[in-house]
Amino acid sequence: MSREEKQKLGNQVLEMFDHAYGNYMEHAYPADELMPLTCRGRVRGQEPSRGDVDDALGKFSLTLIDSLDTLVVLNKTKEFEDAVRKVLKDVNLDNDVVVSVFETNIRVLGGLLGGHSLAIMLKEKGEYMQWYNDELLQMAKQLGYKLLPAFNTTSGLPYPRINLKFGIRKPEARTGTETDTCTACAGTLILEFAALSRFTGATIFEEYARKALDFLWEKRQRSSNLVGVTINIHTGDWVRKDSGVGAGIDSYYEYLLKAYVLLGDDSFLERFNTHYDAIMRYISQPPLLLDVHIHKPMLNARTWMDALLAFFPGLQVLKGDIRPAIETHEMLYQVIKKHNFLPEAFTTDFRVHWAQHPLRPEFAESTYFLYKATGDPYYLEVGKTLIENLNKYARVPCGFAAMKDVRTGSHEDRMDSFFLAEMFKYLYLLFADKEDIIFDIEDYIFTTEAHLLPLWLSTTNQSIAKKNTTSEYTELDDSNFDWTCPNTQILFPNDPLYAQSIREPLKNVVDKSCPRGIIRVEESFRSGAKPPLRARDFMATNPEHLEILKKMGVSLIHLKDGRVQLVQHAIQAASSIDAEDGLRFMQEMIELSSQQQKEQQLPPRAVQIVSHPFFGRVVLTAGPAQFGLDLSKHKETRGFVASSKPYNGCSELTNPEAVMGKIALIQRGQCMFAEKARNIQNAGAIGGIVIDDNEGSSSDTAPLFQMAGDGKDTDDIKIPMLFLFSKEGSIILDAVREYEEVEVLLSDKAKDRAAILKGKMIPSYIINSNPEMENEEQSSPENDSQNQSAEQVSSSSQEVDSVDQESSEENSLNSYPESLSPADMDNAASISASEQTSNPTENHETTNLNGECTDLDNQLQEQSETEEDSNPNVSWGKKVQPIDSILADWNEDIEAFEMMEKDEL
């Protein structure tokens, strides 16, 4: 790339920053953030709550503070001076607001310290900031003291939130009851707190941050040297025991390495190298980085990755491990080229898992570091792509708007402060030559929010004399240190094709067509012998996998209910090595099965039609929600049903008068379940029933489905929400078409008809109904569910509820027939693994294995056709039937149902 083109792109970055920063100052300041779609400021308490996301907002002009050092990097020294004056004049840190300790530290404390670092640099140069007298540092010190009460725990780990005015313990604080915090939240303090101590001479800040890091190190899982995602701040017990390099842990690892760089303490480097060795051993599956369980690190904890791990290639560059950095970065770039932005989460086969993109800068950060390390102009082209996509898809008249869905290009009224703090800084530095920057960037280290701290702090106010205690915990391999702070001449040969040779095999790793099966991705580009088959990758319909099983001495038995059973005979293995692989495969399969069966499952709920002419006879098995009113703890909800408009419930209802005081019917798809619940609740509904948009789905053929929240605080949802598959939902919809006024009862189990009809006029044919039929009709869905296979595994989806089948909560299948192709396996086929052969239908483990691509419409359609006559849930026809005919049909269905029970269906 020519110098002229680099300058042109650098100027383009400057113009984009001016567009974002100018609109914030014009339309939002002194609010914390800009709402770019409505051209106004976001003020805490004046806008609808967004849950944890709002914890970053503290009524302290967040975006302005977060942008201070960006102004200097972009050579806008006059604007920087004006911004510092505004901060000193307008910003108040004594607000009665509960904020995140983590976000306030990295954004506000880090922003003040970064601003102070560059203010004193400019003052020394003699042209700007001559009036400056450490005012930003004094504000930082004030804020530091306000955050200290959060560390008042026995462990030394800070509370996740604090009230800026009242602290933790006071009743007015409205916080201090939390017991858990994320590892990154407690482990991403040392740079800012140590810098504050080194700048001011007040050692207490560095001491508190070190104590928190020491505690996390002691609580690591000793056999794997990994840490979990969330930890109890009082007991030190791991609450979430999955481990990765993305959300919840990411900057903990980053700060261990950077604390060594900034503070020169060898113990931080030894800890980082110990963790890094574990990451590369268990989590890294180039080019993927997959979460594992800390106690069983060979077992993947999930099959998707989140966008925050995009920082990791940049950290690997600092570490000096360049090859995996190039590989992972290239994989991420292929995902971006497919979706224009990096989705908030995506699966191992590179489909969208969470479709949002809040303009995160981590990928730009890694791109900058890789370019600095390799000098490969390819990364300039990557940066150019980022600039083009931001201008083409995210730019709006009042700034840049976050993407609500990368697939549709829809926007969210949100422009986070980190967008100005990090994105433009890294993009400008990517294209800038040394003479374009008014100071030497190499004299500073970037915090996780890209704020700049000077390296000379390492020799200033060194009042903390820590002995190296790391070696007491672990024996370190000296080779771990070989790649630390390397000489780039040795690492990167003077060959312009060096990085390209690593990237080239990954060019097609993200394919636009759906993969044929779950084969480990690295097999598609690594030459030589293939790694052993892992349990998490196994598919019983993949011929290649079956051949590998045969070599390992593992035989596959097809059970009559459609599942398969795995049995190993070591003597039948092709070699002793294959036999060992087979044994490990079986152990992994059993662990995988056991882990998934232990996942929390909520019992089924009931939707009972109680109005004329049903009178409680029709009971539909419903899936529960992991939010809203818990019907097992509260009285049932009774009311008439009404369809919401829009039917998907994804926006404010246009017919609130129709659903007021009623139970709203809404269709699954196009937005999160929690969003639907909030919209109907705001319209006055007393409950909600979500009906599956997958035509033909039924509780007869699919396991119980649980509606998950949106990953945010759902305490504001007070109404009960239940889920019905398409077949059960059509019963209610048909009843509404025929009778208009349909009343239902939402409960944890079906209610006695006598209680339902108490005080109501009851037709004589109901009173004289068949007693056998009475017993059948009063059976609860809990009893019904016990009639299904004992090995049935419930599926609980935490994905975006979207009409796009690539990212919607797919239904799990209890089993799959032999004829199914890999592409037909939707999100879980049940596999039983056992070393017993005496009875293949007993003593076997089950597990959900992730499937691929297409849905099971055709397969389920065949099943539904064969099971239609014996289905206990009666579908109401289009024609009006006399009640005697309906009762006769019910009797036939009851007889058929009894026969099904005898067959153990």
Side-chain angles (χ1 to χ4, degrees):
M1 184 176 288
S2 67
R3 175 170 171 77
E4 290 72 23
E5 187 175 0
K6 286 177 64 178
Q7 283 185 329
K8 180 181 177 182
L9 289 168
N11 291 333
Q12 200 170 349
V13 174
L14 293 176
E15 185 278 329
M16 293 166 67
F17 174 82
D18 289 341
H19 179 66
Y21 180 76
N23 275 286
Y24 165 74
M25 296 304 296
E26 179 181 351
H27 298 292
Y29 182 79
D32 283 317
E33 290 180 344
L34 169 69
M35 300 173 68
L37 299 183
T38 52
C39 297
R40 57 197 171 100
R42 183 181 296 280
V43 180
R44 187 93 174 260
Q46 294 183 14
E47 302 293 336
S49 172
R50 301 177 299 170
D52 293 347
V53 177
D54 283 340
D55 287 344
L57 311 181
K59 300 182 179 178
F60 35 37
S61 302
L62 175 63
T63 299
L64 181 62
I65 293 177
D66 224 0
S67 305
L68 287 177
D69 53 4
T70 304
L71 289 165
V72 183
V73 171
L74 271 56
N75 205 4
K76 296 179 179 293
T77 46
K78 177 68 169 61
E79 291 90 337
F80 172 73
E81 195 158 0
D82 293 341
V84 173
R85 292 185 187 276
K86 279 188 169 64
V87 170
L88 300 179
K89 173 174 169 286
D90 299 336
V91 172
N92 177 24
L93 298 175
D94 197 39
N95 300 313
D96 180 13
V97 59
V98 176
V99 297
S100 161
V101 173
F102 167 75
E103 296 290 356
T104 304
N105 172 65
I106 65 171
R107 298 202 207 188
V108 186
L109 184 58
L112 292 172
L113 292 172
H116 170 70
S117 300
L118 297 188
I120 59 178
M121 178 273 298
L122 289 173
K123 185 177 181 179
E124 287 177 4
K125 285 181 176 289
E127 184 177 354
Y128 294 95
M129 303 300 293
Q130 296 305 300
W131 55 270
Y132 182 71
N133 193 27
D134 294 351
E135 289 87 351
L136 290 177
L137 180 60
Q138 295 310 311
M139 287 185 68
K141 189 175 181 181
Q142 177 194 357
L143 180 59
Y145 278 118
K146 284 185 171 296
L147 295 179
L148 282 185
F151 292 83
N152 190 16
T153 60
T154 54
S155 66
L157 299 178
Y159 282 94
R161 298 176 186 85
I162 194 169
N163 188 300
L164 288 176
K165 189 178 185 68
F166 298 109
I168 292 285
R169 296 302 177 93
K170 295 180 181 178
E172 306 97 318
R174 305 186 305 282
T175 189
T177 58
E178 302 95 335
T179 58
D180 306 335
T181 193
C182 72
T183 299
C185 299
T188 311
L189 299 159
I190 186 64
L191 291 189
E192 293 82 3
F193 272 50
L196 184 57
S197 287
R198 302 295 175 97
F199 272 130
T200 64
T203 61
I204 187 171
F205 304 108
E206 185 173 346
E207 290 171 356
Y208 274 56
R210 280 180 178 266
K211 183 179 178 183
L213 270 183
D214 290 345
F215 190 83
L216 288 173
W217 170 252
E218 285 204 41
K219 290 299 177 181
R220 77 193 185 285
Q221 212 291 319
R222 297 302 174 90
S223 61
S224 67
N225 281 321
L226 295 172
V227 292
V229 174
T230 55
I231 189 171
N232 186 296
I233 59 177
H234 302 297
T235 66
D237 295 331
W238 291 110
V239 179
R240 275 187 55 189
K241 299 176 182 178
D242 45 320
S243 183
V245 296
I249 303 180
D250 48 2
S251 48
Y252 163 69
Y253 294 133
E254 177 185 2
Y255 269 38
L256 283 178
L257 181 57
K258 289 183 176 179
Y260 165 68
V261 175
L262 182 65
L263 307 177
D265 189 332
D266 285 348
S267 66
F268 292 131
L269 177 60
E270 293 185 11
R271 293 179 190 183
F272 172 80
N273 279 324
T274 302
H275 284 313
Y276 187 77
D277 180 68
I279 290 168
M280 300 309 290
R281 183 173 303 182
Y282 303 119
I283 295 170
S284 176
Q285 300 173 30
L288 309 181
L289 292 162
L290 292 177
D291 284 17
V292 299
H293 296 276
I294 58 175
H295 295 96
K296 298 176 181 177
M298 299 301 292
L299 187 64
N300 278 356
R302 62 189 189 191
T303 57
W304 49 271
M305 295 165 280
D306 64 72
L308 285 170
L309 62 75
F311 90 101
F312 197 67
L315 187 65
Q316 288 179 305
V317 171
L318 290 185
K319 158 73 175 170
D321 201 357
I322 190 71
R323 187 181 191 93
I326 293 172
E327 290 174 340
T328 299
H329 179 274
E330 180 62 22
M331 177 270 292
L332 295 170
Y333 184 45
Q334 298 299 323
V335 174
I336 288 174
K337 288 202 290 188
K338 183 174 182 179
H339 300 293
N340 300 319
F341 297 98
L342 198 59
E344 197 71 335
F346 54 94
T347 62
T348 53
D349 58 342
F350 311 110
R351 289 191 281 167
V352 174
H353 185 73
W354 294 336
Q356 309 97 312
H357 173 74
L359 306 181
R360 294 199 183 277
E362 285 77 15
F363 181 77
E365 173 186 357
S366 289
T367 303
Y368 165 67
F369 280 116
L370 272 169
Y371 178 65
K372 291 280 286 185
T374 65
D376 189 337
Y378 175 84
Y379 295 109
L380 298 176
E381 297 295 337
V382 173
K384 182 180 178 181
T385 300
L386 297 181
I387 291 173
E388 291 173 348
N389 288 349
L390 283 170
N391 280 321
K392 185 175 182 179
Y393 302 108
R395 187 165 182 147
V396 294
C398 280
F400 291 85
M403 307 304 296
K404 188 172 185 178
D405 193 315
V406 298
R407 297 160 302 188
T408 63
S410 58
H411 288 124
E412 194 174 350
D413 201 3
R414 168 182 181 184
M415 188 178 80
D416 290 84
S417 69
F418 55 68
F419 181 59
L420 284 85
E422 302 184 65
M423 181 69 82
F424 296 113
K425 196 175 292 174
Y426 287 124
L427 287 178
Y428 182 75
L429 290 172
L430 177 64
F431 297 105
D433 290 324
K434 195 166 186 177
E435 55 269 24
D436 296 329
I437 308 169
I438 60 174
F439 63 98
D440 190 352
I441 199 75
E442 302 298 338
D443 290 339
Y444 296 81
I445 190 168
F446 289 102
T447 69
T448 193
E449 190 77 3
H451 294 307
L452 295 170
L453 299 177
L455 293 177
W456 53 257
L457 287 175
S458 61
T459 58
T460 303
N461 290 323
Q462 285 184 299
S463 53
I464 308 281
K466 290 282 290 183
K467 71 183 183 72
N468 186 346
T469 58
T470 305
S471 298
E472 297 176 9
Y473 302 115
T474 183
E475 292 184 9
L476 288 169
D477 181 357
D478 288 341
S479 64
N480 232 336
F481 297 86
D482 289 349
W483 293 77
T484 298
C485 297
N487 183 320
T488 55
Q489 306 254 331
I490 299 172
L491 252 187
F492 317 119
N494 295 321
D495 180 3
L497 299 179
Y498 172 71
Q500 181 183 344
S501 66
I502 300 174
R503 286 193 307 268
E504 195 61 36
L506 297 167
K507 288 295 185 184
N508 299 316
V509 70
V510 180
D511 199 280
K512 289 185 179 180
S513 62
C514 197
R516 292 181 177 274
I518 302 182
I519 304 173
R520 288 174 65 93
V521 176
E522 64 262 34
E523 291 182 23
S524 65
F525 60 86
R526 278 189 174 177
S527 58
K530 294 180 180 179
L533 179 64
R534 306 294 295 273
R536 59 175 174 257
D537 304 322
F538 171 69
M539 292 185 67
T541 51
N542 186 320
E544 185 178 357
H545 288 185
L546 296 179
E547 187 62 31
I548 295 173
L549 287 191
K550 187 175 180 182
K551 284 185 64 179
M552 296 191 299
V554 178
S555 56
L556 184 144
I557 303 171
H558 290 270
L559 305 180
K560 63 179 181 180
D561 60 3
R563 288 175 298 106
V564 295
Q565 184 177 40
L566 303 174
V567 181
Q568 190 205 19
H569 299 282
I571 58 174
Q572 297 178 3
S575 69
S576 59
I577 295 177
D578 289 320
E580 289 180 12
D581 288 341
L583 179 60
R584 178 189 48 76
F585 174 85
M586 297 295 289
Q587 290 170 339
E588 284 184 8
M589 184 66 75
I590 293 171
E591 286 180 0
L592 192 64
S593 169
S594 176
Q595 182 66 33
Q596 294 185 350
Q597 289 193 30
K598 287 177 182 176
E599 291 179 357
Q600 182 182 5
Q601 298 178 18
L602 296 174
R605 306 290 187 234
V607 175
Q608 198 165 3
I609 307 180
V610 298
S611 55
H612 173 82
F614 307 94
F615 300 109
R617 291 176 176 275
V618 175
V619 181
L620 306 174
T621 301
Q626 297 173 354
F627 54 87
L629 186 72
D630 188 347
L631 292 170
S632 65
K633 299 177 181 177
H634 298 84
K635 189 179 178 182
E636 66 273 2
T637 298
R638 180 171 180 161
F640 289 93
V641 298
S643 294
S644 63
K645 292 182 181 179
Y647 188 30
N648 60 32
C650 289
S651 58
E652 183 178 349
L653 266 58
T654 59
N655 63 335
E657 68 287 343
V659 300
M660 174 76 73
K662 295 184 179 180
I663 295 172
L665 301 178
I666 41 185
Q667 188 179 47
R668 176 184 181 184
Q670 300 185 18
C671 65
M672 304 289 280
F673 290 122
E675 186 177 346
K676 298 175 188 289
R678 291 188 180 99
N679 287 331
I680 64 171
Q681 178 176 273
N682 293 339
I686 60 173
I689 298 175
V690 178
I691 298 176
D692 194 7
D693 60 344
N694 183 17
E695 188 175 352
S697 64
S698 168
S699 62
D700 299 336
T701 55
L704 180 70
F705 184 85
Q706 299 183 35
M707 292 186 289
D710 54 4
K712 304 174 185 176
D713 186 4
T714 53
D715 290 345
D716 58 317
I717 302 175
K718 307 297 184 185
I719 61 174
M721 295 290 294
L722 296 182
F723 176 88
L724 290 179
F725 285 113
S726 172
K727 195 171 182 181
E728 286 76 20
S730 66
I731 294 175
I732 291 185
L733 295 175
D734 289 344
V736 169
R737 280 193 287 270
E738 187 165 351
Y739 299 103
E740 294 186 3
E741 294 291 320
V742 175
E743 188 179 17
V744 300
L745 187 72
L746 311 184
S747 59
D748 61 333
K749 59 183 178 180
K751 302 300 178 184
D752 191 313
R753 291 224 313 275
I756 294 173
L757 302 175
K758 187 176 181 181
K760 294 185 179 291
M761 294 293 292
I762 307 173
S764 58
Y765 61 79
I766 296 294
I767 299 174
N768 299 325
S769 62
N770 188 332
E772 286 186 11
M773 188 169 148
E774 181 86 47
N775 293 333
E776 288 293 340
E777 290 157 359
Q778 292 182 18
S779 66
S780 72
E782 288 181 338
N783 294 331
D784 292 345
S785 67
Q786 292 171 3
N787 294 328
Q788 299 176 9
S789 173
E791 287 78 25
Q792 182 163 312
V793 181
S794 297
S795 70
S796 175
S797 171
Q798 298 183 11
E799 304 174 23
V800 175
D801 178 26
S802 166
V803 72
D804 190 332
Q805 290 300 317
E806 287 190 351
S807 66
S808 64
E809 298 91 337
E810 308 282 8
N811 302 327
S812 293
L813 287 182
N814 180 48
S815 57
Y816 55 87
E818 184 177 358
S819 59
L820 278 181
S821 69
D824 289 327
M825 295 178 56
D826 239 355
N827 213 32
S830 189
I831 306 286
S832 63
S834 172
E835 296 184 13
Q836 304 288 330
T837 57
S838 57
N839 189 344
T841 63
E842 296 177 2
N843 296 326
H844 55 277
E845 303 279 354
T846 63
T847 182
N848 287 346
L849 298 182
N850 287 319
E852 295 297 322
C853 304
T854 61
D855 57 25
L856 290 169
D857 284 348
N858 297 334
Q859 195 72 26
L860 293 179
Q861 184 65 35
E862 294 175 8
Q863 287 184 286
S864 62
E865 289 174 0
T866 59
E867 295 176 359
E868 188 173 3
D869 293 336
S870 60
N871 186 356
N873 294 317
V874 181
S875 180
W876 295 87
K878 306 256 181 203
K879 297 186 292 183
V880 177
Q881 288 182 279
I883 202 68
D884 290 337
S885 173
I886 293 173
L887 290 173
D889 290 342
W890 275 345
N891 276 314
E892 291 179 8
D893 289 336
I894 295 301
E895 292 172 4
F897 185 66
E898 289 174 343
M899 186 172 298
M900 288 168 63
E901 282 187 310
K902 292 176 183 177
D903 291 337
E904 297 182 346
L905 290 176

